[in-house]
Amino acid sequence: MPHEEDLSILDVNSEEDEDIEAANKAFPTSYNCIAKKAISLENDFITKMDAFWYSGITGSVAVGLSNNSVIISNTDNLATINNLKGHRDVVTKVRYSKLDSNLIYTSSMDRTIKRWDIRIKESCVNTFKDNTEGPEPHQWKPFSTMDVNCSDTFICGGTEKNGDDSFLLFFDVRNPKVLGGYWESHSEDVTKVRFHPNDANYMASSSIDGLINVFDISKNSEEDALLYTLGSEVSPDTLKWLKRSNAIYNHLGVVCQSEEYQLWDIE
């Protein structure tokens, strides 16, 4: 059964020597800035970011801005590669394809998920959206987050609360029509969706309702797919699969809106 490990909750803002020592032990690597750049000369700010690394420190970085655009830059000198424009509201997630650095996925409160090929200037390849379920017919759902699995075959988009339900919606990356969804596992806005780094069928989600759910999406129903429900007691803000000494991704790291850090063992 999953459990919250001993001494796994850290207050990252604490100035107590004991907490600082625990934080340094949990995060032992030091980092230095090697390049910086003003992404926008307007009064825009960064909302979301993701990176794709080819080797070492060489790669590209995608940055979502408050003006609803996404800037793609290289990591060598942060020179702009492309400026993706197409969303009409706040960009809530930016994710690179796990297999192709030219493909990027974005979600937005404009009720769409978009798939981009950065070799094509400013034009998205596919737009994904859904209005098949909900309190009102034909009402498109706003996406608060999303992720793409490690085989680059499926997208899952998490929504804000829509009526009495919050949705986890699934799409084939090649087809904008929704495949299906879960709407019984969370009762408030979905904050994060994270597919497992190595297993294309395993996925975790978190919500303002304080729950973290782990699914096997190869199952035929939501009830069968739900493997574990973890109670974080506070609203999770960031969710990430982690590996420990056994080099297996069987832990979930959670940063909560209360600025606590939690580490869960998914075993």
Side-chain angles (χ1 to χ4, degrees), residues 103-169:
L103 298 179
I104 292 176
Y105 300 84
T106 59
S107 61
S108 171
M109 293 304 293
D110 68 5
R111 306 171 189 271
T112 66
I113 295 172
K114 293 182 181 292
R115 181 177 183 236
W116 309 80
D117 186 331
I118 63 175
R119 294 166 296 190
I120 303 173
K121 295 294 183 181
E122 298 188 2
S123 178
C124 72
V125 178
N126 297 103
T127 297
F128 308 88
K129 53 186 179 178
D130 175 65
N131 66 347
T132 56
E133 297 286 346
E136 297 181 21
H138 310 301
Q139 183 181 43
W140 301 103
K141 300 177 184 64
F143 290 100
S144 52
T145 187
M146 66 91 197
D147 199 15
V148 59
N149 68 351
C150 63
S151 61
D152 210 34
T153 51
F154 296 116
I155 300 166
C156 179
T159 75
E160 285 193 331
K161 187 174 182 178
N162 192 266
D164 294 329
D165 299 309
S166 298
F167 292 80
L168 296 167
L169 300 172

Side-chain angles (χ1 to χ4, degrees), residues 1 38 47 93 134 165 174 227:
M1 290 292 294
T47 59
K93 192 68 179 179
D165 299 309
R174 301 163 298 180
L227 302 178

Side-chain angles (χ1 to χ4, degrees), residues 211-214 226-231:
L211 299 180
I212 302 163
N213 291 319
V214 180
L226 182 59
L227 302 178
Y228 307 120
T229 295
L230 317 175

Side-chain angles (χ1 to χ4, degrees), residues 196-208:
H196 191 278
N198 298 329
D199 191 323
N201 291 320
Y202 270 64
M203 184 192 82
S205 64
S206 62
S207 168
I208 292 176

